[in-house]
Amino acid sequence: MSLKEHLYELRYRLGLAMLVIAVGAIFGFIWFQVRLGPIPSLGDILTGPYCQPDLAPYRADITKDGRCALLQTEPFEIFLVQLQVGTAAGAVLLSPLWLYQIWAFITPGLYQKERKFARVFVGAGALLFVAGAVLAYLVVPEGLKVLLGFGSGNWTTALTGSKYINFVITMLFIFGVSFLIPLVVVMLNRAGVLSYERLAKWRRGLTMGLFVFAAVATPGTDPISMVVLALALVLLFEMAIQISRVHDKRKARLRSAEGWDQLDDNEAAPFHYVASDAEGNDPGEKAVAAEPAKRVNYDDAT
């Protein structure tokens, strides 16, 4: 394809992706206040941690019938919150559709092996992000209990909708993104940038760094969120180290079987190249294995 055709293709894919996100935003905006059968509304899901019975002594239920509710202090505040949260929720739910458009644009330039690794890492990244967000949702009530418990004898709490929703969304996002750090470590090990030996040597320092990162990254000042995030990252990081150990051992066995480490400095490596197309298939050309180069005595060279 020419550059002009690539630009047209990019415009087409981006247009479809934006259309999907717009449809998701409309769906999320409606879902914010409407139950979907047994699934509670998006608003009920987000206010669930704040409205738990354990937090009743710490909050002020300002509605006439005493129900748990958030406070609106500005006109159209709840409309903007509903639009923001609905757009984010719709984009997440329909992410396979708009991510496919991006994938369809870049995949023609990838080899089959590169596509395989991309699918694996994207799938693992999605699962890790969801796991981090779920953990954050479970931690939010305990963090709120600690934060709202300070000065409870002289203070009463009525959180505004925008600040509370921003707090919850930030927690979900930070936990989700943080869970991707071990995946980055595995990717760097696969690329040969980080070895298991180096990771094992840095284990103590990296563990301390993860606790510092958790203390800085968590939006709340409660120790529960920080400790839970730090322990989860340490566990995932240790799993990444063990995966790197298995990969490096397998790579070392392959090098030993091929005889790479026993080669002389003047001896060519036993490298065999077979041409393939973008799909990873043999294009039908006769593959010729490169013969090892003969040893050259540079003292006799003229």
Side-chain angles (χ1 to χ4, degrees):
M1 296 176 63
S2 63
L3 177 60
K4 184 178 180 180
E5 291 173 334
H6 275 294
L7 293 177
Y8 281 144
E9 177 71 10
L10 177 61
R11 184 183 65 178
Y12 172 73
R13 295 297 179 182
L14 289 179
L16 290 180
M18 295 300 295
L19 178 61
V20 170
I21 293 176
V23 173
I26 296 174
F27 171 79
F29 186 85
I30 298 174
W31 181 29
F32 190 89
Q33 293 184 344
V34 178
R35 294 178 59 92
L36 302 178
I39 303 177
S41 65
L42 188 59
D44 292 337
I45 294 176
L46 291 176
T47 57
Y50 176 68
C51 292
Q52 285 192 0
D54 294 343
L55 292 178
Y58 307 105
R59 67 172 186 263
D61 296 329
I62 58 178
T63 57
K64 293 182 179 180
D65 54 0
R67 292 185 298 106
C68 173
L70 296 171
L71 184 66
Q72 180 178 219
T73 59
E74 299 178 1
F76 303 108
E77 180 180 359
I78 184 60
F79 174 81
L80 296 177
V81 169
Q82 184 174 346
L83 180 62
Q84 174 187 359
V85 175
T87 302
V92 171
L93 290 176
L94 299 184
S95 58
L97 298 180
W98 59 266
L99 284 176
Y100 171 78
Q101 303 303 325
I102 301 177
W103 176 257
F105 176 75
I106 66 176
T107 189
L110 300 178
Y111 289 100
Q112 185 65 25
K113 184 178 181 180
E114 295 171 336
R115 298 179 189 178
K116 177 183 177 181
F117 279 111
R119 294 190 190 101
V120 172
F121 283 113
V122 169
L127 292 177
L128 287 173
F129 186 90
V130 171
V134 172
L135 180 62
Y137 185 82
L138 298 176
V139 170
V140 165
E142 301 300 325
L144 286 176
K145 189 182 299 184
V146 174
L147 295 176
L148 301 183
F150 290 103
S152 58
N154 301 319
W155 298 80
T156 184
T157 301
L159 297 180
T160 60
S162 59
K163 292 185 178 180
Y164 170 75
I165 295 298
N166 288 335
F167 171 76
V168 175
I169 294 297
T170 303
M171 284 283 291
L172 298 179
F173 180 77
I174 289 178
F175 270 65
V177 173
S178 299
F179 270 45
L180 300 179
I181 296 178
L183 182 62
V184 175
V185 173
V186 174
M187 293 176 63
L188 293 177
N189 175 258
R190 292 278 178 172
V193 178
L194 287 176
S195 63
Y196 164 74
E197 181 180 357
R198 184 174 300 178
L199 290 172
K201 183 179 180 181
W202 294 349
R203 181 185 276 113
R204 292 184 179 180
L206 290 174
T207 301
M208 183 63 186
L210 291 176
F211 273 89
V212 174
F213 169 79
V216 175
T218 49
T221 57
D222 63 290
I224 296 180
S225 300
M226 181 199 73
V227 172
V228 171
L229 177 59
L231 292 178
L233 289 179
V234 169
L235 178 60
L236 291 174
F237 181 75
E238 185 62 30
M239 294 175 60
I241 291 179
Q242 298 306 318
I243 293 175
S244 301
R245 180 177 66 86
V246 173
H247 173 261
D248 286 359
K249 281 188 175 182
R250 184 181 305 171
K251 186 177 180 181
R253 288 196 300 267
L254 179 61
R255 288 179 60 91
S256 178
E258 293 289 340
W260 289 72
D261 297 329
Q262 288 75 32
L263 294 176
D264 188 80
D265 293 339
N266 296 327
E267 187 176 356
F271 178 72
H272 301 280
Y273 174 75
V274 178
S276 61
D277 57 12
E279 300 295 333
N281 302 318
D282 188 352
E285 299 177 358
K286 183 178 180 180
V288 179
E291 297 181 357
K294 297 181 179 179
R295 188 187 303 272
V296 179
N297 189 350
Y298 291 97
D299 297 333
D300 298 335
T302 59

